[in-house]
Amino acid sequence: QVQLVESGGGSVQAGGSLRLSCVASENPSGKYCVGWFRQAPGKEREGVAQISPAGTQGYIDSVEGRFTISQDSAKNTVYLQMTNLRLDDAGLYVCAARISSGPCVLNKSWYNNWGQGTQVTVSS
């Protein structure tokens, strides 16, 4: 089981930026799909972005063009750069991973390794 530790959350005004980090206990590149999910109070956990073992990125429509997922294999880290943050981007951001030799699926039921999350607060 890969261990995942997130950091980088905080409070920011709408329009601001944050970079989240997800450090894995082993290099995910070439082996794991890694996804970023978020959960706002009273809402279901939703997938935001993911990166495949080969580095292919995917996003939900609401963050396309504002968020960028990337990985640094030397640091076993997957990043989520978030820009032009909106009030509805707030929530607990959690990274997840799953070994895959095929397509990644940005769904909370598909991923089977989870971190504890980092909180993102966006104010007006």
Side-chain angles (χ1 to χ4, degrees), residues 26 34-35 42 75-76 96:
E26 61 181 283
V34 178
K75 297 182 179 180
N76 292 358

PDB file of all heavy atoms in Angstrom, residues 26 34-35 42 75-76 96:
ATOM      1  N   GLU A  26       6.379   5.857  -2.402  1.00  0.00           N
ATOM      2  CA  GLU A  26       7.171   5.323  -3.504  1.00  0.00           C
ATOM      3  C   GLU A  26       6.867   6.148  -4.745  1.00  0.00           C
ATOM      4  O   GLU A  26       5.864   6.849  -4.811  1.00  0.00           O
ATOM      5  CB  GLU A  26       6.856   3.847  -3.741  1.00  0.00           C
ATOM      6  CG  GLU A  26       5.418   3.559  -4.117  1.00  0.00           C
ATOM      7  CD  GLU A  26       5.161   2.075  -4.326  1.00  0.00           C
ATOM      8  OE1 GLU A  26       5.544   1.569  -5.396  1.00  0.00           O
ATOM      9  OE2 GLU A  26       4.573   1.443  -3.432  1.00  0.00           O
ATOM     10  N   VAL A  34      -2.684   8.868 -10.071  1.00  0.00           N
ATOM     11  CA  VAL A  34      -2.816   9.699  -8.879  1.00  0.00           C
ATOM     12  C   VAL A  34      -3.871  10.753  -9.150  1.00  0.00           C
ATOM     13  O   VAL A  34      -3.822  11.452 -10.167  1.00  0.00           O
ATOM     14  CB  VAL A  34      -1.486  10.367  -8.489  1.00  0.00           C
ATOM     15  CG1 VAL A  34      -1.686  11.270  -7.264  1.00  0.00           C
ATOM     16  CG2 VAL A  34      -0.419   9.314  -8.197  1.00  0.00           C
ATOM     17  N   GLY A  35      -4.804  10.854  -8.266  1.00  0.00           N
ATOM     18  CA  GLY A  35      -5.893  11.813  -8.431  1.00  0.00           C
ATOM     19  C   GLY A  35      -5.994  12.758  -7.261  1.00  0.00           C
ATOM     20  O   GLY A  35      -5.597  12.437  -6.139  1.00  0.00           O
ATOM     21  N   GLY A  42     -21.003  18.878   3.579  1.00  0.00           N
ATOM     22  CA  GLY A  42     -22.326  18.520   3.113  1.00  0.00           C
ATOM     23  C   GLY A  42     -22.395  18.032   1.679  1.00  0.00           C
ATOM     24  O   GLY A  42     -23.477  17.764   1.164  1.00  0.00           O
ATOM     25  N   LYS A  75      11.082  13.471  -6.487  1.00  0.00           N
ATOM     26  CA  LYS A  75      10.592  13.771  -5.139  1.00  0.00           C
ATOM     27  C   LYS A  75       9.370  12.923  -4.752  1.00  0.00           C
ATOM     28  O   LYS A  75       8.768  13.159  -3.705  1.00  0.00           O
ATOM     29  CB  LYS A  75      10.234  15.258  -5.026  1.00  0.00           C
ATOM     30  CG  LYS A  75      11.421  16.193  -5.224  1.00  0.00           C
ATOM     31  CD  LYS A  75      11.018  17.646  -5.065  1.00  0.00           C
ATOM     32  CE  LYS A  75      12.220  18.560  -5.236  1.00  0.00           C
ATOM     33  NZ  LYS A  75      11.855  19.991  -5.097  1.00  0.00           N
ATOM     34  N   ASN A  76       8.999  11.976  -5.600  1.00  0.00           N
ATOM     35  CA  ASN A  76       7.811  11.142  -5.345  1.00  0.00           C
ATOM     36  C   ASN A  76       6.579  12.006  -5.065  1.00  0.00           C
ATOM     37  O   ASN A  76       5.733  11.652  -4.235  1.00  0.00           O
ATOM     38  CB  ASN A  76       8.035  10.210  -4.148  1.00  0.00           C
ATOM     39  CG  ASN A  76       9.065   9.126  -4.415  1.00  0.00           C
ATOM     40  OD1 ASN A  76       9.606   9.038  -5.512  1.00  0.00           O
ATOM     41  ND2 ASN A  76       9.348   8.320  -3.415  1.00  0.00           N
ATOM     42  N   ALA A  96      -5.214  10.624  -3.983  1.00  0.00           N
ATOM     43  CA  ALA A  96      -5.472   9.194  -4.000  1.00  0.00           C
ATOM     44  C   ALA A  96      -4.623   8.548  -5.083  1.00  0.00           C
ATOM     45  O   ALA A  96      -4.220   9.211  -6.043  1.00  0.00           O
ATOM     46  CB  ALA A  96      -6.959   8.941  -4.256  1.00  0.00           C
TER      47      ALA A  96
END
